[in-house]
Amino acid sequence: MDGTVRSIGRDTASAIRPFLELEAVSRRFGGVQAVDGVDLAIARGELLGIIGPNGAGKTTLFNLISGFVRPSSGRIRFKGRRIDGKAAHRIAHFGISRTFQNLRVFPNLTVFDNVAAGAIGALGFPAWRAFIGGNRTTAITQRTWQALERVGLAGHATDAVTTLPYGRRKYLEIARALATEPELLILDEPAAGLNETETIELADFMRGLNASGLTLLLVEHDMGLVMSTCRRVVVLAAGRKIADAAPAEVQADPEVQRAYLGGAE
């Protein structure tokens, strides 16, 4: 690698005060440098894709932004506020929510109650105390129904979550994230395990979320999904950012092809 980061979209994003900004963010686990000095600026309203081979540092980067892991060095700002080192629940209160690669559902709860857990987390301990006491407060109920309707699961609210097909469970997790009423939604491989028809449906759904004003940050291995939905794509390899550009430019970049897309060595 020559150390040069190809970029066109980054300059456009940084012309406006970044909505989310990472400055020289790094994370080391023992002797492994999972994320290495990553700079990244995301503008409000973007739908940004992050790609890279396995072990590139993508999920670690998401964990750093959402507070599940603390950076070893560097700064992360959201709407101008430093959030690096803050707990995940605090960052969620600031307006960042996320999904996970592996579905995290409560199998003994209904669809409604799974999504309500997201609203409760956003509203804090008083809401949790009311919920376990059987009092479905107005705020929890309203957020939950809105999220269910947004993903098309309102008709399954009283169903056991175990009755949902796998693809619908993906939307359940997105609904739970939406119930926090985020300004930035982080999606970690939402198309994993979906068939072609479901992936096309997911692409349309993400475009709709983004068109409504929600900023989206996407990590995904499905290149067709990323290239068809994102106007800007960031490529990670070995924890470093090696490209930051429009999809067509990323696909044509020899450095990216060597690192990720299977080009000649």
Side-chain angles (χ1 to χ4, degrees), residues 4-14 39-41 232-234 241-246 249-250 253:
T4 301
V5 175
R6 285 75 173 169
S7 174
I8 56 174
R10 182 184 57 183
D11 296 334
T12 301
S14 60
D39 294 318
L40 182 63
R232 184 162 66 105
V233 178
V234 169
K241 185 172 76 169
I242 63 169
D244 183 347
E249 186 172 343
V250 165
D253 191 322

Side-chain angles (χ1 to χ4, degrees), residues 23-26 71-76 82 84:
E23 297 178 358
V25 171
S26 296
S72 302
S73 59
R75 293 173 293 279
I76 304 174
R82 286 280 297 270
D84 48 277

Side-chain angles (χ1 to χ4, degrees), residues 8 64 70 192 228:
I8 56 174
L64 290 166
R70 296 190 175 195
S228 67

Side-chain angles (χ1 to χ4, degrees), residues 116 119-137 139-140:
I120 290 166
L123 294 169
F125 178 73
W128 172 251
R129 184 169 57 187
F131 184 79
I132 62 174
N135 179 14
R136 304 302 198 261
T137 65
I140 294 173

